Amino acid sequence: MLSHEAKQGDALLNRCSYVGRFAPSPTGPLHFGSLLTAVASYCDAKANQGQWLVRIEDTDIPRIFPNSEAHILSCIDAFQFEPDAEIIFQKDRFEIYEQVLEQLKQCNAIYACQCTRKMLGSNHIYVGTCRDLNLDFADQAIRLKVADQQICFEDRLQGLQCSNLQQDLGDFVLKRRDGIISYQLAVVVDDYLQGISHVVRGADLLDNTARQIWLGSLLDYPSLSYMHLPLAMNDQGQKLSKQNLAHALDITQAAKLLQQAILALGQATVELDQPRIMLQQAVQQWDINLIPTGLHLSGTYL
Ligand SMILES: [Zn+2]
């Protein structure tokens, strides 16, 4: 009994401290928008005496872009970020996600869905067609049941966010018919297993958060703190993304790019130096009240 209590105490201690992460997907090379997320998550963790972890979110194997994993790793190196634990790769963790699906199946939180993309059509809200059909799980998509209730959280930058998953989305997919584990499932499980306490990421993921909070609550995982950063836009008014052909980060220009990223985040300027030194200074000066508010940055980026 004593040892059990001691263990719980340790877990509590871990959960109270700050553990942040940077979790890029290798669906293309890192771009300036990814650098903003890396810098903000790093500085926020370090300014709060926290740990900073890196996780490669490569569950969507068909969308993995050749060599982008190597580019991510070379950027971490070139920008002299120092993760506090070994980098983990989601593609090595399918057994873990399958175990969690089994756990959700036991408590009747998920079901198999045979609807094809064609059957779903342009309707963005899944109406629960297969919810009570008790279909066999083999070779079908797996959906998580949602409830008709408001899910709210206080984002550190974007303020109070609320959504009703049933009305806005419907039961959502945790595993695709082709076996690919959804981003939602992998991110929730790994944030929990890595002991993440604080999520700092781009505002393009803001509307994923309610799904992740809902799934985490069903699994009895502790709740997380969220901060969604304004997105860097190109001169066409599109967010920087692999789809919009954002420039890959040029690792030979690491110091200059790092300086630009720190400025884009509204922080006090940092002299050009070794990236490690620049990051140290950015951590000392880090002030989230200076980060521009809203969903987009006002300047344009390549
Ligand atoms: Zn269905």
Side-chain angles (χ1 to χ4, degrees), residues 113-115 126 129-130 143:
C113 165
Q114 63 183 357
C115 300
Y126 183 71
T129 316
C130 303
R143 285 184 187 268

Side-chain angles (χ1 to χ4, degrees), residues 153-161 206 226-229:
F153 67 99
E154 184 72 32
D155 188 275
R156 290 166 66 205
L157 275 184
Q158 309 293 343
L160 184 66
Q161 307 288 317
L206 195 57
Y226 291 96
M227 176 157 81
H228 286 87
L229 303 165

Side-chain angles (χ1 to χ4, degrees), residues 118-291:
K118 205 169 165 189
M119 288 159 73
L120 296 172
S122 58
N123 193 355
H124 293 299
I125 301 170
Y126 183 71
V127 292
T129 316
C130 303
R131 203 188 235 232
D132 300 314
L133 297 183
N134 277 318
L135 298 167
D136 193 87
F137 276 50
D139 305 320
Q140 304 287 15
I142 308 296
R143 285 184 187 268
L144 180 69
K145 295 176 185 174
V146 298
D148 186 10
Q149 67 183 59
Q150 284 283 92
I151 295 174
C152 296
F153 67 99
E154 184 72 32
D155 188 275
R156 290 166 66 205
L157 275 184
Q158 309 293 343
L160 184 66
Q161 307 288 317
C162 290
S163 71
N164 180 314
L165 289 174
Q166 186 160 307
Q167 288 170 20
D168 299 344
L169 188 75
D171 300 337
F172 59 92
V173 171
L174 293 186
K175 184 182 175 183
R176 296 193 328 219
R177 185 190 308 269
D178 61 7
I180 299 290
I181 295 292
S182 81
Y183 162 71
Q184 312 297 344
L185 176 63
V187 82
V188 168
V189 170
D190 286 337
D191 278 344
Y192 171 67
L193 291 176
Q194 290 191 288
I196 302 299
S197 61
H198 290 68
V199 173
V200 176
R201 60 186 178 191
D204 51 337
L205 292 168
L206 195 57
D207 68 356
N208 287 243
T209 310
R211 273 173 271 179
Q212 293 165 15
I213 290 173
W214 173 248
L215 175 56
S217 72
L218 292 176
L219 290 164
D220 225 1
Y221 294 168
S223 53
L224 307 177
S225 158
Y226 291 96
M227 176 157 81
H228 286 87
L229 303 165
L231 300 173
M233 310 296 280
N234 65 20
D235 56 8
Q236 311 284 313
Q238 302 159 320
K239 72 162 181 140
L240 295 191
S241 69
K242 292 120 188 175
Q243 292 74 31
N244 295 330
L245 305 175
H247 289 199
L249 289 174
D250 177 356
I251 58 171
T252 66
Q253 301 290 319
K256 221 174 111 197
L257 287 164
L258 190 55
Q259 192 181 45
Q260 282 171 14
I262 291 164
L263 282 179
L265 290 165
Q267 305 299 301
T269 190
V270 165
E271 296 298 313
L272 286 177
D273 203 326
Q274 297 266 347
R276 184 182 294 109
I277 309 288
M278 296 173 71
L279 282 169
Q280 276 169 10
Q281 199 189 338
V283 166
Q284 279 162 13
Q285 297 174 167
W286 183 246
D287 180 356
I288 73 161
N289 297 310
L290 299 176
I291 300 175

